[in-house]
Each structure stands twice: as structure tokens, then as C-alpha cells.
Amino acid sequence: MEKVYLGDWLYNAGIVGFLNINSHLWEIKDKRLVSKNENLLKFGDNYIEFDRKIFDGFAERFFDYAFNQYGRYENLLKLFEEYIEDLNNSEDIENFEKLNKKYFQGKLKDNKELEDKLPIEIFDRFKKILSGFTLLKKKLKKLPSKNEIKKNKSSLGESLQKAIKIMKENKEEFWESDVQIYLRNIYGQKSFLNLSVNKDRFKKFFEDFEEPLKENKVKKDSKYYCISCMERKAKKNTIFDTGISKFYGLNPDSINFIWNFNPKLPLCEICEIIYFSYFAGLTPVKKDDKTVYYFVNSDSSIDDLVRENQLLKNILTTEISENILLDFFTQIILESSYREAVYTLQNIAVLELDLTNETMPKVYSFNLSREKAQFLKETKNKEDLRKFSKNYYKIKDTKISILPEIMYLILENKFYFNYLNKLLKFYIATQNNSKNYETNITPHQLQVLNSLIFRFLTNVIGGRTMKISENDMWTIYYKGKGLADLLKSKNAENKIQSISYKLLNALRIGDTREFMDILIRTYMAYGEEIPSSFVKTLSDKETFYALGYSFLNGLLGEENQAKKQEEVNNNG
Amino acid sequence: MKLLKIKGYQVFANYRKPMSFNYWDTYPLPPLSTVRGWFHTVVEATEYIPIAMSIQGKFDGVVQDLQTLIKFDRKRNKEEEIVLEGFNKAFSKSPTYVANVYGINLTIYLKAEEEYLQKFKENLFKLEYPSLGRKEDLIRIDYIDFIEPVEEKFSKFKRLLIKNGMYLNKATADKLGLSGINYRMNFKYDKELSDKAGLRYFEKKDVVYIDSGFIKKGQFLVDKEEETLIDLIGDI
């Protein structure tokens, strides 16, 4: 068995890539990474272990992965079919608007113009594609001229049909050549990516890698060990003085980066194939018309590394929102139930790479203080945060999810009672059937949020010693509920709305006197004594907010008995 | 047994992981080889001195910093090019992301033959201002003296809380049932092999970084004053 340990970020990407290429050997079960065949592949905390038999069929899987990731072949087949369909549909007046928008940004006047211009537009696009696709162009041989197409539109359709036919019939050849084109861009010239290799590329890869790896027939260097694992003998003639990748920042010239000015990189065949698999560990995403690649570097464990990259992949491929990384970060915090150390949370970095360029990777990260990381790691906080995963508010037609917003406020140190005020305003508006505002948050959730803010202020922001506890907050919450019940019993339910609104306003501007005034008047009007616990609200601003909002949430709350019981249990 | 205890503070540091180039990643605390190298430099060692250490610390956070790194580059014979004579290379700069740990309070315990520890203590400020991590990551030394650790037995009734981050031997962590981040960390290199190959090949140690937990069983070395565990990693 060969062991491969987590290492630098590119090597880690290589491990993820290697696992992705061999994805038939593992699965994620109950949120853990498990091997389907421990004789071939095993997972340790910070290493993977595999038998050389794993390389059986590796070349094909490697090519398949690159071919699918590149995606050109499938995309073009689809596009050509679309072209044919659009050509056929262009005479039908029903499709005018759609096609006009799709090809001409809606600039055409009528269907007649579309019928004339569409074939030429598609032909131009087709030709442009062919200019970057030599193999297909060569096989297609002659294309009709523009004049021919003007005279006879179907000649373009025939050419497109022919292209599809050629691609389907020669799939294997396209497969080989596309993989080479794609990876050469990323890795430079190595093995089958060498410029002089223009046929039997798969065979070359098979002979260079799969076979010698599987049979353990790689010739070893007599002098050098592998600089990466430092355990295995280096492969003969594999001094990587050209570096591992274009953007890795290591090349024979940057000698001041290396100990003793010696930029030699002897690698063993195992570390070499790991590095050679890194493309498969990255997630490609279209951004501003070009493809960039994302990778989360996490070194806490193999399990985290693989799962976090899967999570990122899921988010990147399903959601296109501006806040991709915030969404990712939010989920990563909520899903990782077994983060081993606060440091791992503090050190999550997402790398964005432009592989075709020698530019440096961009690093995105969130700066988390130790206290904040601890706050987010705390099970209770995590559970409470998770309660907001389906909540939103709407201002007119704009819908905003609450959880990412909370996370953003936490990261920015802006998580404060004013956010609670905003949500309460939306809640009260929703109750009044407002046209402009809507939310699905409940008073009980608002009270949970209140507790979270309280905890955040005491544990993370620090320097504040609150004179109250969370229990005090829940006690006051039930006092609020008590008042609501009292009003209901006196047939004064309609008063709740107006009182709440006044209280909300007093809280917004931090007016303790006004707040107490409203309370006293209300309690007195119904012949009740104001609970003594309210004295505490007068002590300082934070206490006032924490307790004031608790009361208001309680007053608004309509909880069933079971939920109330649950809270009592949880909070003693 | 006498240990040399060093306490220090660093505003900012990068404890670079080996092989991280265009994005300089960092360990949470200075790795074994860095501390070992520091010791050997300060005592002006000409050969390897067996050493064991316990590295602990508490830091405020990690930030990613975009820095200009000075690089040697290929000569392209352009007019504006600055050539570094003697190296026959061109001077170039390139932006690079560097992960930095900040606000680090370190406590390091060293075990070696006493004469060397004595020498380390005497020499520490003599050669140059001490740094740990990169050359520019200066360390302010707040305390350096010998201590006598004590052995204590822990149980359900007498527990020890781990308050700071620290590296543990993998075996210790397993024994204690503590989990954290597993690192396979460079410790020392083979000089003979290095001279022969012109490259440093390191002997590695399996360590676990943990930053919280309880010790509920077993007998361990403790620094009474700090109430911390001392788990020496090394070869004596």
C-alpha cells in the first residue's frame, strides 16, 4: 500500500483530484467519507492509502474526467443541434422574438429580416468555433460559401449535420485530442501533452503512467529521494526543474525561494501522479466569459478536504448568487459537526485560479478571531443558526434570505439589536397584511435571534459584562406572552398590534423611559402590577435591548403549548 | 529534569508549510523544524544536538495578506532589467498571498543537554534579534528560564483543561482520546544526505494540533505555574 499525506495546497488539490478520478471507489455515507473497497483504497485522518492495483484502468478514467471537465465536445454537439433547430424554426413567426433576442439582441425588425440574417449569423459563429477546433475543421474539409448559403439555406444545415455525424463517429479521436488540448493549457508539455505527440496520446499516457505505476516498474533515481514525501525514491529523470504548474510560483529561476538556492524537484512516481491529478480537484466555473477554477484548501483531514470541496462544487453549480462564498461559508459552518480545532475554521481559504494564465491564485477567506470562531463552533449557536435556514423577508419583490445575512453581520462584527428591530418591523407589517413587506419568521425565532445577539455581544465582542442571563430574557419573554394572554382574555387582542408598534419604536431609538411608560400604562389599564424584573431593563442599553426585545417577542408570540414546554426544558 | 521555558509574543508570523509557493500557507504554531533550527542556530551548533520540545500558544486569528515578494527571475535582456550579479538572474517582484497568524502568545519548552540550554539562554540576544517563522517574524521574549516540570496523574476527579493550542505526539493524542488536526511535520534532516544531494530531506513526526480538550487519564508532565501539559516531541 502507498501512503499519501496531506501537504501543500496544490498537492491537496491533487489528492482530491486523484479521488475524483477514482470516484468509483468511495462514497459519502452519513456525512463521512467511506471506502467501498478497503483493499484498494483506505482513508486515514490526514492520509489516503492505496494499492497499486488502483491504477488498473486509471488512464481511461483520467482521460474521461478531463474530457468531461473540459466539456467542449458535449457542449458543441448540443450547440450544433440547437443551430439546426433554430434554422428550421426561423420561418415560423412564433419564434421571431426568441430568435431575435438570442442572436441579434432584439435589433431586427421583422421575420423576413431574421430569415435572411440568421443563416449568416449562425454560419459566422460556426466558422469561429471551427477556427479553434482544428480536428473538426480538418475532417469537415469544405464549407459552403456565404453566397451558397444565401441561395440555399439548407446547405448550412447539412454542414452542421455533417459536423455532428463526424463528431459522433470519431468520438474516440476527439476524446484523445480534446484531453490533450485541455491539459496542455494547464500543465505545459509533459508526456502525452508534448507538442510532438499528435496521435496515440492515450497509449502514451497508458505507457508512461498507468502501466509502470500498476506494475511498480518505474525506474528509480540512484541519488535522490522525492522532495514531496521524502520517503520514496525519486523517479529516474524526473527532476522537475520546470516546476509543477505554470502558476505554482516555482521555477528554476526563482531560486531565492528555495533552500540553498537549489530549485531541484525530484519527485517519486506517486507524488508525481498526485500533482498531475490536481486539475480534477478543482471546480470550473464560468465567470465573466472565462473559466476560473475554485478549490478549498482545508488541511484538517482528508474527510473535510473532500467534503468541503464537494460542498463548494454543489454551491457553485446550483446557485449563481453574488454571495457564493458567503453561502459556502455559512453552510460549511453549519454542516461540519465535528470540526476538530478552532484553527481550521479560522483558516478556511478558497482559491480561485485562472489555469490558462501564469497569474497568481486569488485567495478568498474570512477573517475570524478566535472568539468568533469559537462562537461559530459552539454546538448551541450552530443549532440556533440552523433554525433560520428557511427564513426570508421580502421588500416589495426582492426576497432576502436571513441566514446568510446573519452570517455576514457576524463576520463583519455588525450583529446587533438593530437587525432584530428590522425583522420585527417586517413581522408586524406582515401581520398587518402589508403590501410592501413580508417575512416568514416567527416571534419565537426572533427571540432565538435575540439570544444569539446576546451571546455574540458577551462572548465575541467582549468588554461587556451583562447584568442579566439568558434565563432572564426568557422569563421576560413569557411575561410578554402573559400580557398578550391577558389582553386576549379581556377581549382587547386588537391592542397588541398598537402596543407592539409603540414598543418597537421605543426600542429602535433606545428610549427606556418611553418603553416603560407604555408598559406601565398598559399594565395599569388592566389592573395588573408591572413585573419587578423590569427594573433590570433600566441598567444599561444592552440590557434594555435584550430584555425589551424579549418582552416584545413574547407579546407578539403565538406559540402552542408543546413549543413552550420545549423552551422551558431547554432553558431550565 | 530541567526544561528551558521560553515565553514570547509575536505580532505577526507565517510558519510556512513546506512546498507552498504561490500561496504561502501557514501552520498554526511554529513547526518542529523551525524551533529546532532556531535552537541550533542560537547555540551555534556544528552538528545535530538531540532535542525535544513542546510548542504551545494562543493566537487571535489568521489573515490572508497580499504581499510583494522579491523573486529572482530569468534574464530577458531588456533595458530596464535589474541584473543580480553573481547569481546571473534578473530581479523581479510578484504579488503573493501569504497566510499570517497574528497576536501570538507562545510558550515553548525545550529539552536538551543542560549545557546547550544554558548556552541558548545566554546567546539568545547576542547574535541578533530573535525571530521565529520567517526572518522578519521577530519574537519578543517575555520570559526565559529553567523550570522543573512535575509529573501528575489525572483522572475523572482531577482533570486538566487544555486552554491553548499545542502540538501533541500522535501517540499521546490517541492515548488521551483527543482529536485535532493531524500533521506530518518536518523535524530534522540528515546532514550527510543533504550534503550529498544538495537538498534537505527531513525526518518527519506525526503530531496533532489541538486547541481544546480535557485530560482525564494518565500520567503526564505538567508546568505547575501555567497549569499546562508538557508533551515533549523530539528524540531525547
Side-chain angles (χ1 to χ4, degrees), chain A residues 271-300:
Chain A
C271 290
E272 182 193 34
I273 195 72
I274 295 290
Y275 272 122
F276 205 29
S277 301
Y278 81 78
F279 76 93
L282 314 175
T283 306
V285 179
K286 278 262 182 232
K287 190 179 171 189
D288 308 330
D289 261 357
K290 74 177 183 197
T291 306
V292 290
Y293 295 77
Y294 283 93
F295 177 68
V296 199
N297 188 35
S298 163
D299 66 358
S300 49

PDB file of all heavy atoms in Angstrom, chain A residues 271-300:
ATOM      1  N   CYS A 271       3.895  10.760  -5.938  1.00  0.00           N
ATOM      2  CA  CYS A 271       3.632  12.191  -5.754  1.00  0.00           C
ATOM      3  C   CYS A 271       3.447  12.872  -7.111  1.00  0.00           C
ATOM      4  O   CYS A 271       2.674  13.820  -7.236  1.00  0.00           O
ATOM      5  CB  CYS A 271       4.768  12.850  -4.978  1.00  0.00           C
ATOM      6  SG  CYS A 271       4.796  12.334  -3.245  1.00  0.00           S
ATOM      7  N   GLU A 272       4.157  12.377  -8.095  1.00  0.00           N
ATOM      8  CA  GLU A 272       4.023  12.962  -9.429  1.00  0.00           C
ATOM      9  C   GLU A 272       2.601  12.799  -9.962  1.00  0.00           C
ATOM     10  O   GLU A 272       1.997  13.763 -10.453  1.00  0.00           O
ATOM     11  CB  GLU A 272       5.014  12.293 -10.387  1.00  0.00           C
ATOM     12  CG  GLU A 272       4.965  12.869 -11.781  1.00  0.00           C
ATOM     13  CD  GLU A 272       5.707  11.994 -12.801  1.00  0.00           C
ATOM     14  OE1 GLU A 272       5.714  10.753 -12.668  1.00  0.00           O
ATOM     15  OE2 GLU A 272       6.276  12.568 -13.745  1.00  0.00           O
ATOM     16  N   ILE A 273       2.045  11.606  -9.822  1.00  0.00           N
ATOM     17  CA  ILE A 273       0.688  11.395 -10.368  1.00  0.00           C
ATOM     18  C   ILE A 273      -0.341  12.153  -9.541  1.00  0.00           C
ATOM     19  O   ILE A 273      -1.359  12.619 -10.053  1.00  0.00           O
ATOM     20  CB  ILE A 273       0.338   9.878 -10.489  1.00  0.00           C
ATOM     21  CG1 ILE A 273      -0.884   9.665 -11.382  1.00  0.00           C
ATOM     22  CG2 ILE A 273       0.094   9.233  -9.142  1.00  0.00           C
ATOM     23  CD1 ILE A 273      -0.638   9.889 -12.846  1.00  0.00           C
ATOM     24  N   ILE A 274      -0.046  12.330  -8.254  1.00  0.00           N
ATOM     25  CA  ILE A 274      -0.958  13.135  -7.417  1.00  0.00           C
ATOM     26  C   ILE A 274      -0.956  14.582  -7.930  1.00  0.00           C
ATOM     27  O   ILE A 274      -2.008  15.166  -8.179  1.00  0.00           O
ATOM     28  CB  ILE A 274      -0.540  13.072  -5.929  1.00  0.00           C
ATOM     29  CG1 ILE A 274      -0.683  11.658  -5.378  1.00  0.00           C
ATOM     30  CG2 ILE A 274      -1.353  14.074  -5.091  1.00  0.00           C
ATOM     31  CD1 ILE A 274      -2.086  11.141  -5.193  1.00  0.00           C
ATOM     32  N   TYR A 275       0.228  15.144  -8.100  1.00  0.00           N
ATOM     33  CA  TYR A 275       0.302  16.507  -8.636  1.00  0.00           C
ATOM     34  C   TYR A 275      -0.348  16.585 -10.017  1.00  0.00           C
ATOM     35  O   TYR A 275      -0.960  17.572 -10.379  1.00  0.00           O
ATOM     36  CB  TYR A 275       1.752  16.980  -8.743  1.00  0.00           C
ATOM     37  CG  TYR A 275       2.289  17.638  -7.489  1.00  0.00           C
ATOM     38  CD1 TYR A 275       3.409  17.149  -6.837  1.00  0.00           C
ATOM     39  CD2 TYR A 275       1.665  18.777  -6.967  1.00  0.00           C
ATOM     40  CE1 TYR A 275       3.914  17.761  -5.698  1.00  0.00           C
ATOM     41  CE2 TYR A 275       2.157  19.393  -5.826  1.00  0.00           C
ATOM     42  CZ  TYR A 275       3.285  18.883  -5.202  1.00  0.00           C
ATOM     43  OH  TYR A 275       3.766  19.500  -4.073  1.00  0.00           O
ATOM     44  N   PHE A 276      -0.181  15.513 -10.775  1.00  0.00           N
ATOM     45  CA  PHE A 276      -0.699  15.506 -12.140  1.00  0.00           C
ATOM     46  C   PHE A 276      -2.231  15.380 -12.173  1.00  0.00           C
ATOM     47  O   PHE A 276      -2.846  15.528 -13.214  1.00  0.00           O
ATOM     48  CB  PHE A 276      -0.043  14.356 -12.916  1.00  0.00           C
ATOM     49  CG  PHE A 276      -0.001  14.570 -14.406  1.00  0.00           C
ATOM     50  CD1 PHE A 276       0.069  15.850 -14.947  1.00  0.00           C
ATOM     51  CD2 PHE A 276      -0.022  13.500 -15.277  1.00  0.00           C
ATOM     52  CE1 PHE A 276       0.111  16.057 -16.314  1.00  0.00           C
ATOM     53  CE2 PHE A 276       0.020  13.688 -16.652  1.00  0.00           C
ATOM     54  CZ  PHE A 276       0.084  14.972 -17.165  1.00  0.00           C
ATOM     55  N   SER A 277      -2.809  15.102 -11.026  1.00  0.00           N
ATOM     56  CA  SER A 277      -4.273  14.944 -10.986  1.00  0.00           C
ATOM     57  C   SER A 277      -4.962  16.191 -10.461  1.00  0.00           C
ATOM     58  O   SER A 277      -6.186  16.203 -10.295  1.00  0.00           O
ATOM     59  CB  SER A 277      -4.658  13.780 -10.060  1.00  0.00           C
ATOM     60  OG  SER A 277      -4.080  12.587 -10.490  1.00  0.00           O
ATOM     61  N   TYR A 278      -4.205  17.258 -10.163  1.00  0.00           N
ATOM     62  CA  TYR A 278      -4.833  18.363  -9.429  1.00  0.00           C
ATOM     63  C   TYR A 278      -5.970  19.032 -10.203  1.00  0.00           C
ATOM     64  O   TYR A 278      -6.901  19.557  -9.606  1.00  0.00           O
ATOM     65  CB  TYR A 278      -3.797  19.386  -8.955  1.00  0.00           C
ATOM     66  CG  TYR A 278      -3.338  20.383  -9.982  1.00  0.00           C
ATOM     67  CD1 TYR A 278      -4.136  21.478 -10.308  1.00  0.00           C
ATOM     68  CD2 TYR A 278      -2.118  20.259 -10.616  1.00  0.00           C
ATOM     69  CE1 TYR A 278      -3.715  22.398 -11.252  1.00  0.00           C
ATOM     70  CE2 TYR A 278      -1.695  21.169 -11.550  1.00  0.00           C
ATOM     71  CZ  TYR A 278      -2.490  22.230 -11.872  1.00  0.00           C
ATOM     72  OH  TYR A 278      -2.090  23.129 -12.808  1.00  0.00           O
ATOM     73  N   PHE A 279      -5.906  18.976 -11.525  1.00  0.00           N
ATOM     74  CA  PHE A 279      -6.983  19.629 -12.295  1.00  0.00           C
ATOM     75  C   PHE A 279      -8.349  19.063 -11.898  1.00  0.00           C
ATOM     76  O   PHE A 279      -9.346  19.773 -11.878  1.00  0.00           O
ATOM     77  CB  PHE A 279      -6.757  19.458 -13.806  1.00  0.00           C
ATOM     78  CG  PHE A 279      -7.103  18.079 -14.314  1.00  0.00           C
ATOM     79  CD1 PHE A 279      -8.373  17.807 -14.809  1.00  0.00           C
ATOM     80  CD2 PHE A 279      -6.197  17.053 -14.264  1.00  0.00           C
ATOM     81  CE1 PHE A 279      -8.718  16.530 -15.252  1.00  0.00           C
ATOM     82  CE2 PHE A 279      -6.527  15.777 -14.696  1.00  0.00           C
ATOM     83  CZ  PHE A 279      -7.784  15.518 -15.184  1.00  0.00           C
ATOM     84  N   ALA A 280      -8.363  17.765 -11.558  1.00  0.00           N
ATOM     85  CA  ALA A 280      -9.637  17.109 -11.248  1.00  0.00           C
ATOM     86  C   ALA A 280     -10.133  17.440  -9.840  1.00  0.00           C
ATOM     87  O   ALA A 280     -11.246  17.109  -9.477  1.00  0.00           O
ATOM     88  CB  ALA A 280      -9.498  15.597 -11.403  1.00  0.00           C
ATOM     89  N   GLY A 281      -9.286  18.118  -9.073  1.00  0.00           N
ATOM     90  CA  GLY A 281      -9.694  18.517  -7.729  1.00  0.00           C
ATOM     91  C   GLY A 281     -10.326  19.896  -7.728  1.00  0.00           C
ATOM     92  O   GLY A 281     -10.850  20.354  -6.725  1.00  0.00           O
ATOM     93  N   LEU A 282     -10.260  20.569  -8.870  1.00  0.00           N
ATOM     94  CA  LEU A 282     -10.778  21.928  -8.947  1.00  0.00           C
ATOM     95  C   LEU A 282     -12.164  21.935  -9.563  1.00  0.00           C
ATOM     96  O   LEU A 282     -12.506  21.063 -10.337  1.00  0.00           O
ATOM     97  CB  LEU A 282      -9.853  22.787  -9.816  1.00  0.00           C
ATOM     98  CG  LEU A 282      -8.353  22.681  -9.548  1.00  0.00           C
ATOM     99  CD1 LEU A 282      -7.585  23.487 -10.572  1.00  0.00           C
ATOM    100  CD2 LEU A 282      -8.016  23.161  -8.156  1.00  0.00           C
ATOM    101  N   THR A 283     -12.946  22.935  -9.194  1.00  0.00           N
ATOM    102  CA  THR A 283     -14.286  23.064  -9.771  1.00  0.00           C
ATOM    103  C   THR A 283     -14.298  24.221 -10.762  1.00  0.00           C
ATOM    104  O   THR A 283     -14.063  25.358 -10.379  1.00  0.00           O
ATOM    105  CB  THR A 283     -15.319  23.357  -8.670  1.00  0.00           C
ATOM    106  OG1 THR A 283     -15.187  22.352  -7.681  1.00  0.00           O
ATOM    107  CG2 THR A 283     -16.718  23.352  -9.227  1.00  0.00           C
ATOM    108  N   PRO A 284     -14.540  23.921 -12.032  1.00  0.00           N
ATOM    109  CA  PRO A 284     -14.575  25.005 -13.020  1.00  0.00           C
ATOM    110  C   PRO A 284     -15.889  25.767 -12.969  1.00  0.00           C
ATOM    111  O   PRO A 284     -16.946  25.172 -12.798  1.00  0.00           O
ATOM    112  CB  PRO A 284     -14.425  24.282 -14.361  1.00  0.00           C
ATOM    113  CG  PRO A 284     -14.737  22.858 -14.100  1.00  0.00           C
ATOM    114  CD  PRO A 284     -14.742  22.600 -12.636  1.00  0.00           C
ATOM    115  N   VAL A 285     -15.786  27.073 -13.088  1.00  0.00           N
ATOM    116  CA  VAL A 285     -16.976  27.919 -13.076  1.00  0.00           C
ATOM    117  C   VAL A 285     -16.808  29.004 -14.121  1.00  0.00           C
ATOM    118  O   VAL A 285     -15.724  29.551 -14.295  1.00  0.00           O
ATOM    119  CB  VAL A 285     -17.151  28.614 -11.699  1.00  0.00           C
ATOM    120  CG1 VAL A 285     -18.369  29.514 -11.717  1.00  0.00           C
ATOM    121  CG2 VAL A 285     -17.288  27.598 -10.597  1.00  0.00           C
ATOM    122  N   LYS A 286     -17.873  29.285 -14.844  1.00  0.00           N
ATOM    123  CA  LYS A 286     -17.829  30.381 -15.819  1.00  0.00           C
ATOM    124  C   LYS A 286     -17.972  31.694 -15.081  1.00  0.00           C
ATOM    125  O   LYS A 286     -18.902  31.888 -14.318  1.00  0.00           O
ATOM    126  CB  LYS A 286     -18.991  30.239 -16.807  1.00  0.00           C
ATOM    127  CG  LYS A 286     -18.690  29.268 -17.902  1.00  0.00           C
ATOM    128  CD  LYS A 286     -18.231  30.020 -19.154  1.00  0.00           C
ATOM    129  CE  LYS A 286     -17.964  29.022 -20.285  1.00  0.00           C
ATOM    130  NZ  LYS A 286     -16.667  29.165 -20.887  1.00  0.00           N
ATOM    131  N   LYS A 287     -17.006  32.554 -15.305  1.00  0.00           N
ATOM    132  CA  LYS A 287     -17.084  33.858 -14.644  1.00  0.00           C
ATOM    133  C   LYS A 287     -16.652  34.905 -15.660  1.00  0.00           C
ATOM    134  O   LYS A 287     -15.546  34.822 -16.191  1.00  0.00           O
ATOM    135  CB  LYS A 287     -16.161  33.858 -13.421  1.00  0.00           C
ATOM    136  CG  LYS A 287     -16.324  35.061 -12.533  1.00  0.00           C
ATOM    137  CD  LYS A 287     -15.390  34.945 -11.338  1.00  0.00           C
ATOM    138  CE  LYS A 287     -15.371  36.219 -10.537  1.00  0.00           C
ATOM    139  NZ  LYS A 287     -14.348  36.218  -9.509  1.00  0.00           N
ATOM    140  N   ASP A 288     -17.491  35.863 -15.913  1.00  0.00           N
ATOM    141  CA  ASP A 288     -17.202  36.906 -16.904  1.00  0.00           C
ATOM    142  C   ASP A 288     -16.648  36.322 -18.198  1.00  0.00           C
ATOM    143  O   ASP A 288     -15.577  36.723 -18.669  1.00  0.00           O
ATOM    144  CB  ASP A 288     -16.191  37.929 -16.356  1.00  0.00           C
ATOM    145  CG  ASP A 288     -16.624  38.468 -15.017  1.00  0.00           C
ATOM    146  OD1 ASP A 288     -17.852  38.527 -14.799  1.00  0.00           O
ATOM    147  OD2 ASP A 288     -15.753  38.824 -14.206  1.00  0.00           O
ATOM    148  N   ASP A 289     -17.327  35.332 -18.737  1.00  0.00           N
ATOM    149  CA  ASP A 289     -16.946  34.789 -20.036  1.00  0.00           C
ATOM    150  C   ASP A 289     -15.666  33.976 -20.062  1.00  0.00           C
ATOM    151  O   ASP A 289     -15.157  33.643 -21.118  1.00  0.00           O
ATOM    152  CB  ASP A 289     -16.807  35.917 -21.071  1.00  0.00           C
ATOM    153  CG  ASP A 289     -18.070  35.984 -21.902  1.00  0.00           C
ATOM    154  OD1 ASP A 289     -18.948  35.130 -21.676  1.00  0.00           O
ATOM    155  OD2 ASP A 289     -18.157  36.868 -22.763  1.00  0.00           O
ATOM    156  N   LYS A 290     -15.098  33.730 -18.911  1.00  0.00           N
ATOM    157  CA  LYS A 290     -13.987  32.786 -18.952  1.00  0.00           C
ATOM    158  C   LYS A 290     -14.107  31.801 -17.808  1.00  0.00           C
ATOM    159  O   LYS A 290     -14.890  32.014 -16.880  1.00  0.00           O
ATOM    160  CB  LYS A 290     -12.658  33.528 -18.942  1.00  0.00           C
ATOM    161  CG  LYS A 290     -12.270  34.110 -17.630  1.00  0.00           C
ATOM    162  CD  LYS A 290     -10.901  34.762 -17.748  1.00  0.00           C
ATOM    163  CE  LYS A 290     -10.513  35.279 -16.372  1.00  0.00           C
ATOM    164  NZ  LYS A 290      -9.451  36.235 -16.389  1.00  0.00           N
ATOM    165  N   THR A 291     -13.353  30.727 -17.920  1.00  0.00           N
ATOM    166  CA  THR A 291     -13.484  29.709 -16.897  1.00  0.00           C
ATOM    167  C   THR A 291     -12.451  29.932 -15.804  1.00  0.00           C
ATOM    168  O   THR A 291     -11.267  30.060 -16.089  1.00  0.00           O
ATOM    169  CB  THR A 291     -13.270  28.314 -17.513  1.00  0.00           C
ATOM    170  OG1 THR A 291     -14.163  28.189 -18.618  1.00  0.00           O
ATOM    171  CG2 THR A 291     -13.548  27.223 -16.520  1.00  0.00           C
ATOM    172  N   VAL A 292     -12.916  29.988 -14.580  1.00  0.00           N
ATOM    173  CA  VAL A 292     -11.982  30.013 -13.466  1.00  0.00           C
ATOM    174  C   VAL A 292     -12.239  28.767 -12.620  1.00  0.00           C
ATOM    175  O   VAL A 292     -13.272  28.123 -12.754  1.00  0.00           O
ATOM    176  CB  VAL A 292     -12.128  31.275 -12.590  1.00  0.00           C
ATOM    177  CG1 VAL A 292     -11.648  32.496 -13.319  1.00  0.00           C
ATOM    178  CG2 VAL A 292     -13.555  31.447 -12.130  1.00  0.00           C
ATOM    179  N   TYR A 293     -11.288  28.443 -11.791  1.00  0.00           N
ATOM    180  CA  TYR A 293     -11.368  27.207 -11.034  1.00  0.00           C
ATOM    181  C   TYR A 293     -11.305  27.498  -9.548  1.00  0.00           C
ATOM    182  O   TYR A 293     -10.531  28.355  -9.114  1.00  0.00           O
ATOM    183  CB  TYR A 293     -10.207  26.294 -11.423  1.00  0.00           C
ATOM    184  CG  TYR A 293     -10.283  25.841 -12.848  1.00  0.00           C
ATOM    185  CD1 TYR A 293      -9.922  26.688 -13.888  1.00  0.00           C
ATOM    186  CD2 TYR A 293     -10.753  24.580 -13.167  1.00  0.00           C
ATOM    187  CE1 TYR A 293     -10.019  26.284 -15.215  1.00  0.00           C
ATOM    188  CE2 TYR A 293     -10.853  24.166 -14.485  1.00  0.00           C
ATOM    189  CZ  TYR A 293     -10.491  25.019 -15.500  1.00  0.00           C
ATOM    190  OH  TYR A 293     -10.601  24.611 -16.795  1.00  0.00           O
ATOM    191  N   TYR A 294     -12.123  26.792  -8.803  1.00  0.00           N
ATOM    192  CA  TYR A 294     -12.148  27.023  -7.362  1.00  0.00           C
ATOM    193  C   TYR A 294     -11.666  25.789  -6.600  1.00  0.00           C
ATOM    194  O   TYR A 294     -11.880  24.661  -7.015  1.00  0.00           O
ATOM    195  CB  TYR A 294     -13.560  27.361  -6.898  1.00  0.00           C
ATOM    196  CG  TYR A 294     -13.961  28.777  -7.218  1.00  0.00           C
ATOM    197  CD1 TYR A 294     -14.639  29.086  -8.388  1.00  0.00           C
ATOM    198  CD2 TYR A 294     -13.646  29.818  -6.354  1.00  0.00           C
ATOM    199  CE1 TYR A 294     -15.000  30.393  -8.681  1.00  0.00           C
ATOM    200  CE2 TYR A 294     -14.000  31.120  -6.634  1.00  0.00           C
ATOM    201  CZ  TYR A 294     -14.679  31.405  -7.798  1.00  0.00           C
ATOM    202  OH  TYR A 294     -15.034  32.689  -8.089  1.00  0.00           O
ATOM    203  N   PHE A 295     -11.031  26.073  -5.486  1.00  0.00           N
ATOM    204  CA  PHE A 295     -10.574  24.988  -4.622  1.00  0.00           C
ATOM    205  C   PHE A 295     -10.570  25.470  -3.175  1.00  0.00           C
ATOM    206  O   PHE A 295     -10.142  26.588  -2.899  1.00  0.00           O
ATOM    207  CB  PHE A 295      -9.164  24.552  -5.039  1.00  0.00           C
ATOM    208  CG  PHE A 295      -8.582  23.497  -4.155  1.00  0.00           C
ATOM    209  CD1 PHE A 295      -9.121  22.221  -4.150  1.00  0.00           C
ATOM    210  CD2 PHE A 295      -7.520  23.781  -3.311  1.00  0.00           C
ATOM    211  CE1 PHE A 295      -8.609  21.237  -3.315  1.00  0.00           C
ATOM    212  CE2 PHE A 295      -6.999  22.802  -2.468  1.00  0.00           C
ATOM    213  CZ  PHE A 295      -7.538  21.530  -2.479  1.00  0.00           C
ATOM    214  N   VAL A 296     -11.081  24.646  -2.278  1.00  0.00           N
ATOM    215  CA  VAL A 296     -10.993  24.997  -0.847  1.00  0.00           C
ATOM    216  C   VAL A 296      -9.820  24.239  -0.275  1.00  0.00           C
ATOM    217  O   VAL A 296      -9.781  23.017  -0.353  1.00  0.00           O
ATOM    218  CB  VAL A 296     -12.190  24.490  -0.017  1.00  0.00           C
ATOM    219  CG1 VAL A 296     -12.288  25.240   1.285  1.00  0.00           C
ATOM    220  CG2 VAL A 296     -13.461  24.509  -0.791  1.00  0.00           C
ATOM    221  N   ASN A 297      -8.900  24.953   0.296  1.00  0.00           N
ATOM    222  CA  ASN A 297      -7.790  24.246   0.908  1.00  0.00           C
ATOM    223  C   ASN A 297      -8.054  24.073   2.388  1.00  0.00           C
ATOM    224  O   ASN A 297      -8.139  25.016   3.138  1.00  0.00           O
ATOM    225  CB  ASN A 297      -6.490  25.020   0.715  1.00  0.00           C
ATOM    226  CG  ASN A 297      -5.312  24.205   1.173  1.00  0.00           C
ATOM    227  OD1 ASN A 297      -5.306  22.983   1.022  1.00  0.00           O
ATOM    228  ND2 ASN A 297      -4.331  24.847   1.758  1.00  0.00           N
ATOM    229  N   SER A 298      -8.215  22.849   2.773  1.00  0.00           N
ATOM    230  CA  SER A 298      -8.513  22.566   4.162  1.00  0.00           C
ATOM    231  C   SER A 298      -7.557  21.464   4.573  1.00  0.00           C
ATOM    232  O   SER A 298      -7.484  20.445   3.905  1.00  0.00           O
ATOM    233  CB  SER A 298      -9.955  22.085   4.243  1.00  0.00           C
ATOM    234  OG  SER A 298     -10.182  21.445   5.447  1.00  0.00           O
ATOM    235  N   ASP A 299      -6.813  21.681   5.630  1.00  0.00           N
ATOM    236  CA  ASP A 299      -5.844  20.630   5.927  1.00  0.00           C
ATOM    237  C   ASP A 299      -6.158  19.885   7.216  1.00  0.00           C
ATOM    238  O   ASP A 299      -5.326  19.204   7.756  1.00  0.00           O
ATOM    239  CB  ASP A 299      -4.423  21.186   5.954  1.00  0.00           C
ATOM    240  CG  ASP A 299      -4.232  22.165   7.095  1.00  0.00           C
ATOM    241  OD1 ASP A 299      -5.214  22.430   7.815  1.00  0.00           O
ATOM    242  OD2 ASP A 299      -3.114  22.643   7.275  1.00  0.00           O
ATOM    243  N   SER A 300      -7.403  20.025   7.690  1.00  0.00           N
ATOM    244  CA  SER A 300      -7.673  19.345   8.947  1.00  0.00           C
ATOM    245  C   SER A 300      -7.786  17.831   8.757  1.00  0.00           C
ATOM    246  O   SER A 300      -7.293  17.076   9.565  1.00  0.00           O
ATOM    247  CB  SER A 300      -8.911  19.913   9.617  1.00  0.00           C
ATOM    248  OG  SER A 300      -9.960  19.983   8.706  1.00  0.00           O
TER     249      SER A 300
END
